[in-house]
Amino acid sequence: MADLAASHEQALAAALDNLESSQGADWEAWRWGPRNSIAFEHPLWEGFDLPPVDRGGDRTTVNVARPGGGPSFREILDFAEWDRSVATSTPGQSGQPGSPNYGNLRQMWADGEYFPLLYTRDAVESNAAHRLILRPDR
């Protein structure tokens, strides 16, 4: 039994050393998020990477995200009034680096905020930022 206790003490000491080296000596300042951040790395060029987002929780937490995965899209649908539906996604509405919408949803997603998920034509048209019309080449 003494060997087991010594083993646990060694494991605890090693864990504390690791945390102190990565998060500093002030235990009150330690945060889970920086050790569990989600990176938004572009597959082709690191110049298109977006800043990481700190995430809390563990495998028993609803909506947990961890390095390498997690829920990136969520929606809440209101079947009684479709235009009251909301959604969240990350990192942005556009996959085109340089677009103002490339990372525009990242912080909302990180903060657990939602945007309107409009459905009816009137609601969509009255909230549209712009309109893109595609015409076939004749």
Side-chain angles (χ1 to χ4, degrees):
M1 193 68 157
D3 289 341
L4 183 60
S7 174
H8 287 169
E9 287 177 19
Q10 290 172 345
L12 178 59
L16 291 174
D17 287 345
N18 181 290
L19 285 165
E20 286 181 351
S21 68
S22 66
Q23 296 211 25
D26 181 5
W27 291 16
E28 294 292 320
W30 291 359
R31 296 294 174 264
W32 175 258
R35 296 191 55 86
N36 195 38
S37 64
I38 301 296
F40 297 96
E41 298 172 350
H42 194 276
L44 299 178
W45 184 51
E46 66 186 34
F48 295 147
D49 291 353
L50 295 169
V53 172
D54 292 348
R55 300 298 289 175
D58 63 14
R59 68 177 181 256
T60 64
T61 305
V62 174
N63 189 34
V64 69
R66 58 193 173 281
S72 60
F73 177 79
R74 297 181 303 276
E75 60 185 9
I76 302 170
L77 303 174
D78 187 330
F79 291 97
E81 180 62 44
W82 287 108
D83 288 330
R84 289 190 305 211
S85 299
V86 293
T88 188
S89 187
T90 194
Q93 291 173 298
S94 172
Q96 176 185 348
S99 164
N101 296 321
Y102 180 59
N104 66 320
L105 300 175
R106 184 184 64 83
Q107 195 59 51
M108 285 180 66
W109 174 82
D111 295 339
E113 298 174 0
Y114 291 79
F115 55 83
L117 188 61
L118 304 174
Y119 179 78
T120 63
R121 183 177 200 90
D122 288 341
V124 171
E125 287 182 356
S126 66
N127 287 281
H130 64 275
R131 182 183 297 240
L132 174 65
I133 300 173
L134 302 174
R135 295 195 172 103
D137 188 20
R138 296 183 183 194

PDB file of all heavy atoms in Angstrom, residues 107-119:
ATOM      1  N   GLN A 107     -15.833  34.070 -32.778  1.00  0.00           N
ATOM      2  CA  GLN A 107     -15.996  34.526 -31.397  1.00  0.00           C
ATOM      3  C   GLN A 107     -17.413  34.275 -30.882  1.00  0.00           C
ATOM      4  O   GLN A 107     -17.597  33.932 -29.719  1.00  0.00           O
ATOM      5  CB  GLN A 107     -15.635  36.011 -31.262  1.00  0.00           C
ATOM      6  CG  GLN A 107     -15.449  36.432 -29.816  1.00  0.00           C
ATOM      7  CD  GLN A 107     -14.357  35.627 -29.108  1.00  0.00           C
ATOM      8  OE1 GLN A 107     -13.235  35.498 -29.585  1.00  0.00           O
ATOM      9  NE2 GLN A 107     -14.688  35.068 -27.946  1.00  0.00           N
ATOM     10  N   MET A 108     -18.407  34.443 -31.745  1.00  0.00           N
ATOM     11  CA  MET A 108     -19.785  34.129 -31.328  1.00  0.00           C
ATOM     12  C   MET A 108     -19.882  32.663 -30.903  1.00  0.00           C
ATOM     13  O   MET A 108     -20.487  32.346 -29.881  1.00  0.00           O
ATOM     14  CB  MET A 108     -20.776  34.390 -32.471  1.00  0.00           C
ATOM     15  CG  MET A 108     -21.068  35.834 -32.735  1.00  0.00           C
ATOM     16  SD  MET A 108     -22.243  36.038 -34.099  1.00  0.00           S
ATOM     17  CE  MET A 108     -23.714  35.310 -33.404  1.00  0.00           C
ATOM     18  N   TRP A 109     -19.311  31.782 -31.706  1.00  0.00           N
ATOM     19  CA  TRP A 109     -19.317  30.347 -31.386  1.00  0.00           C
ATOM     20  C   TRP A 109     -18.612  30.089 -30.060  1.00  0.00           C
ATOM     21  O   TRP A 109     -19.092  29.348 -29.209  1.00  0.00           O
ATOM     22  CB  TRP A 109     -18.655  29.583 -32.529  1.00  0.00           C
ATOM     23  CG  TRP A 109     -18.468  28.127 -32.290  1.00  0.00           C
ATOM     24  CD1 TRP A 109     -19.395  27.146 -32.446  1.00  0.00           C
ATOM     25  CD2 TRP A 109     -17.269  27.475 -31.846  1.00  0.00           C
ATOM     26  NE1 TRP A 109     -18.850  25.920 -32.134  1.00  0.00           N
ATOM     27  CE2 TRP A 109     -17.548  26.092 -31.767  1.00  0.00           C
ATOM     28  CE3 TRP A 109     -15.999  27.914 -31.522  1.00  0.00           C
ATOM     29  CZ2 TRP A 109     -16.590  25.161 -31.373  1.00  0.00           C
ATOM     30  CZ3 TRP A 109     -15.051  26.988 -31.118  1.00  0.00           C
ATOM     31  CH2 TRP A 109     -15.358  25.629 -31.054  1.00  0.00           C
ATOM     32  N   ALA A 110     -17.462  30.736 -29.884  1.00  0.00           N
ATOM     33  CA  ALA A 110     -16.689  30.556 -28.648  1.00  0.00           C
ATOM     34  C   ALA A 110     -17.474  31.020 -27.429  1.00  0.00           C
ATOM     35  O   ALA A 110     -17.374  30.439 -26.354  1.00  0.00           O
ATOM     36  CB  ALA A 110     -15.370  31.315 -28.741  1.00  0.00           C
ATOM     37  N   ASP A 111     -18.274  32.072 -27.596  1.00  0.00           N
ATOM     38  CA  ASP A 111     -19.044  32.638 -26.490  1.00  0.00           C
ATOM     39  C   ASP A 111     -20.409  31.970 -26.316  1.00  0.00           C
ATOM     40  O   ASP A 111     -21.187  32.375 -25.451  1.00  0.00           O
ATOM     41  CB  ASP A 111     -19.242  34.146 -26.703  1.00  0.00           C
ATOM     42  CG  ASP A 111     -17.926  34.914 -26.645  1.00  0.00           C
ATOM     43  OD1 ASP A 111     -16.942  34.390 -26.072  1.00  0.00           O
ATOM     44  OD2 ASP A 111     -17.874  36.033 -27.178  1.00  0.00           O
ATOM     45  N   GLY A 112     -20.718  30.981 -27.169  1.00  0.00           N
ATOM     46  CA  GLY A 112     -22.007  30.306 -27.071  1.00  0.00           C
ATOM     47  C   GLY A 112     -23.166  31.146 -27.559  1.00  0.00           C
ATOM     48  O   GLY A 112     -24.301  30.964 -27.140  1.00  0.00           O
ATOM     49  N   GLU A 113     -22.879  32.087 -28.458  1.00  0.00           N
ATOM     50  CA  GLU A 113     -23.923  32.961 -28.997  1.00  0.00           C
ATOM     51  C   GLU A 113     -24.444  32.410 -30.320  1.00  0.00           C
ATOM     52  O   GLU A 113     -23.741  31.677 -31.020  1.00  0.00           O
ATOM     53  CB  GLU A 113     -23.379  34.371 -29.191  1.00  0.00           C
ATOM     54  CG  GLU A 113     -22.939  35.022 -27.896  1.00  0.00           C
ATOM     55  CD  GLU A 113     -22.273  36.360 -28.120  1.00  0.00           C
ATOM     56  OE1 GLU A 113     -22.146  36.802 -29.286  1.00  0.00           O
ATOM     57  OE2 GLU A 113     -21.859  36.971 -27.124  1.00  0.00           O
ATOM     58  N   TYR A 114     -25.643  32.812 -30.670  1.00  0.00           N
ATOM     59  CA  TYR A 114     -26.304  32.325 -31.877  1.00  0.00           C
ATOM     60  C   TYR A 114     -26.681  33.492 -32.783  1.00  0.00           C
ATOM     61  O   TYR A 114     -26.862  34.609 -32.319  1.00  0.00           O
ATOM     62  CB  TYR A 114     -27.564  31.544 -31.502  1.00  0.00           C
ATOM     63  CG  TYR A 114     -27.264  30.232 -30.816  1.00  0.00           C
ATOM     64  CD1 TYR A 114     -26.922  30.177 -29.469  1.00  0.00           C
ATOM     65  CD2 TYR A 114     -27.315  29.045 -31.526  1.00  0.00           C
ATOM     66  CE1 TYR A 114     -26.631  28.980 -28.850  1.00  0.00           C
ATOM     67  CE2 TYR A 114     -27.027  27.836 -30.912  1.00  0.00           C
ATOM     68  CZ  TYR A 114     -26.687  27.819 -29.579  1.00  0.00           C
ATOM     69  OH  TYR A 114     -26.399  26.627 -28.981  1.00  0.00           O
ATOM     70  N   PHE A 115     -26.820  33.204 -34.071  1.00  0.00           N
ATOM     71  CA  PHE A 115     -27.314  34.198 -35.028  1.00  0.00           C
ATOM     72  C   PHE A 115     -28.682  33.734 -35.530  1.00  0.00           C
ATOM     73  O   PHE A 115     -29.005  32.546 -35.460  1.00  0.00           O
ATOM     74  CB  PHE A 115     -26.336  34.392 -36.197  1.00  0.00           C
ATOM     75  CG  PHE A 115     -25.975  33.130 -36.929  1.00  0.00           C
ATOM     76  CD1 PHE A 115     -26.800  32.607 -37.922  1.00  0.00           C
ATOM     77  CD2 PHE A 115     -24.802  32.449 -36.628  1.00  0.00           C
ATOM     78  CE1 PHE A 115     -26.467  31.444 -38.599  1.00  0.00           C
ATOM     79  CE2 PHE A 115     -24.467  31.278 -37.292  1.00  0.00           C
ATOM     80  CZ  PHE A 115     -25.300  30.781 -38.284  1.00  0.00           C
ATOM     81  N   PRO A 116     -29.511  34.657 -36.039  1.00  0.00           N
ATOM     82  CA  PRO A 116     -30.823  34.270 -36.546  1.00  0.00           C
ATOM     83  C   PRO A 116     -30.687  33.329 -37.745  1.00  0.00           C
ATOM     84  O   PRO A 116     -29.853  33.545 -38.620  1.00  0.00           O
ATOM     85  CB  PRO A 116     -31.463  35.592 -36.979  1.00  0.00           C
ATOM     86  CG  PRO A 116     -30.676  36.660 -36.301  1.00  0.00           C
ATOM     87  CD  PRO A 116     -29.295  36.103 -36.097  1.00  0.00           C
ATOM     88  N   LEU A 117     -31.483  32.309 -37.751  1.00  0.00           N
ATOM     89  CA  LEU A 117     -31.529  31.370 -38.877  1.00  0.00           C
ATOM     90  C   LEU A 117     -32.868  31.613 -39.577  1.00  0.00           C
ATOM     91  O   LEU A 117     -33.859  30.944 -39.309  1.00  0.00           O
ATOM     92  CB  LEU A 117     -31.406  29.936 -38.368  1.00  0.00           C
ATOM     93  CG  LEU A 117     -31.243  28.843 -39.415  1.00  0.00           C
ATOM     94  CD1 LEU A 117     -29.978  29.056 -40.237  1.00  0.00           C
ATOM     95  CD2 LEU A 117     -31.195  27.482 -38.745  1.00  0.00           C
ATOM     96  N   LEU A 118     -32.877  32.613 -40.427  1.00  0.00           N
ATOM     97  CA  LEU A 118     -34.118  33.074 -41.043  1.00  0.00           C
ATOM     98  C   LEU A 118     -34.578  32.116 -42.132  1.00  0.00           C
ATOM     99  O   LEU A 118     -33.773  31.497 -42.820  1.00  0.00           O
ATOM    100  CB  LEU A 118     -33.915  34.478 -41.595  1.00  0.00           C
ATOM    101  CG  LEU A 118     -33.428  35.497 -40.551  1.00  0.00           C
ATOM    102  CD1 LEU A 118     -33.123  36.820 -41.201  1.00  0.00           C
ATOM    103  CD2 LEU A 118     -34.436  35.634 -39.425  1.00  0.00           C
ATOM    104  N   TYR A 119     -35.882  32.061 -42.293  1.00  0.00           N
ATOM    105  CA  TYR A 119     -36.468  31.091 -43.215  1.00  0.00           C
ATOM    106  C   TYR A 119     -37.375  31.734 -44.268  1.00  0.00           C
ATOM    107  O   TYR A 119     -37.254  31.439 -45.444  1.00  0.00           O
ATOM    108  CB  TYR A 119     -37.241  30.052 -42.409  1.00  0.00           C
ATOM    109  CG  TYR A 119     -37.918  29.014 -43.264  1.00  0.00           C
ATOM    110  CD1 TYR A 119     -37.187  27.969 -43.822  1.00  0.00           C
ATOM    111  CD2 TYR A 119     -39.275  29.080 -43.523  1.00  0.00           C
ATOM    112  CE1 TYR A 119     -37.801  27.021 -44.617  1.00  0.00           C
ATOM    113  CE2 TYR A 119     -39.897  28.127 -44.324  1.00  0.00           C
ATOM    114  CZ  TYR A 119     -39.158  27.099 -44.864  1.00  0.00           C
ATOM    115  OH  TYR A 119     -39.756  26.161 -45.651  1.00  0.00           O
TER     116      TYR A 119
END
